[in-house]
Amino acid sequence: MRLKNDLGEIDRCLSRLDEFCTRFALPAEIHRAVAVALDELLSNIISYAFRDDDEHLIEVEMAADQEQFRAIVRDDGVEFDPFTRPPADITSDIESRPIGGLGIHLVRALMDDVSHRRVDGKNVIILIKRMGK
Amino acid sequence: MEIKTSEAGGVTFVHMSGRLTSATSGQAYDELVRVAQSGTKKLVVNVSDLDFIASSGLRSILVAAKMLKGSRGEIRICGANDTVKKIFETSGFDSLIRLCADENEAVASFEA
């Protein structure tokens, strides 16, 4: 499916994910984990990837077989590999715990495999969640 | 996402249901900050009807927890499903905020 770079579009993507998970009878655990990962990833892309005010299209592909669910997200924003960011601070006490930086941490933690490549001027991110985990 | 606030026996309960996504977290942020600033000393965030929570929702809870800490209040989270629990744990929230099974356990933990 194709989304515009508008935060309101994330809900449309999550609705499509709901349909997909229902059609393939995917377990709730996988459905929820992928929903959070896509929400985080898309809100990052929509908020930070585009340096102009133009409309951009973000492509999201979903596929599943008996072994895994796979989502591929492509955007034509600035080259950025979110997975090279340093790990989030998850140990300091409540006064000094930073408010941000958890989004990509969650994507990594909830997915079994994540990757980024730059192909033909686009960021291509692949998220993989294995069944039965 | 729906959010409802109630009070009983000196404890404020914030009940969230549905999905706390990046699109709906503004609503949760406003309500949690309002409650944290209301002078309550005991806050229970009931997530038993919450499907999942994104990092923006975690931020809202963290901001409320910091505010309560500053006013010597306490916060508990109760009723997390497996996904929400995993999200709290992998974000290190379980070391900041006590997770309880249900509202009764949360209320009892204040008195302990």
Side-chain angles (χ1 to χ4, degrees), chain B residues 39-103:
Chain B
T40 186
K41 294 282 182 259
K42 295 171 180 176
L43 173 61
V44 176
V45 181
N46 185 336
V47 296
S48 56
D49 291 316
L50 200 63
D51 214 20
F52 59 77
I53 181 167
S55 64
S56 45
L58 293 177
R59 281 197 288 280
S60 309
I61 295 176
L62 183 58
V63 167
K66 281 175 183 269
M67 287 177 165
L68 278 169
K69 180 89 176 175
S71 59
R72 293 207 187 84
E74 286 184 275
I75 181 169
R76 304 283 186 267
I77 294 169
C78 76
N81 69 28
D82 287 348
T83 305
V84 174
K85 204 178 284 176
K86 178 162 188 191
I87 289 169
F88 283 134
E89 287 168 0
T90 54
S91 313
F93 266 49
D94 53 332
S95 67
L96 296 180
I97 302 172
R98 185 157 158 186
L99 304 182
C100 299
D102 53 29
E103 287 191 352

Side-chain angles (χ1 to χ4, degrees), chain A residues 10 14 18 29 31-32 35-36 39-40 43 90 92-100 102-103 105-106 109-110, chain B residues 19 21-23 51-55 58-59 62-63 65-66 69 81-83 86-87 90-93 95-96:
Chain A
I10 296 176
L14 295 184
D18 294 345
E29 250 333 269
H31 183 173
R32 291 169 177 156
V36 174
D39 183 16
E40 299 293 351
S43 62
I90 57 165
S92 61
D93 65 18
I94 193 157
E95 282 93 351
S96 47
R97 186 72 67 93
I99 301 285
L102 283 173
H105 175 76
L106 281 186
L110 292 169
Chain B
R19 302 169 154 195
T21 61
S22 51
D51 214 20
F52 59 77
I53 181 167
S55 64
L58 293 177
R59 281 197 288 280
L62 183 58
V63 167
K66 281 175 183 269
K69 180 89 176 175
N81 69 28
D82 287 348
T83 305
K86 178 162 188 191
I87 289 169
T90 54
S91 313
F93 266 49
S95 67
L96 296 180

Side-chain angles (χ1 to χ4, degrees), chain A residues 72-88:
Chain A
I72 305 176
V73 179
R74 291 186 183 86
D75 72 73
D76 64 353
V78 292
E79 181 168 0
F80 180 61
D81 178 353
F83 307 117
T84 55
R85 289 185 52 171

Side-chain angles (χ1 to χ4, degrees), chain A residues 36-54:
Chain A
V36 174
L38 281 175
D39 183 16
E40 299 293 351
L41 201 57
L42 291 170
S43 62
N44 257 15
I45 292 170
I46 294 167
S47 303
Y48 305 115
F50 307 108
R51 294 212 170 128
D52 53 39
D53 294 325
D54 299 345

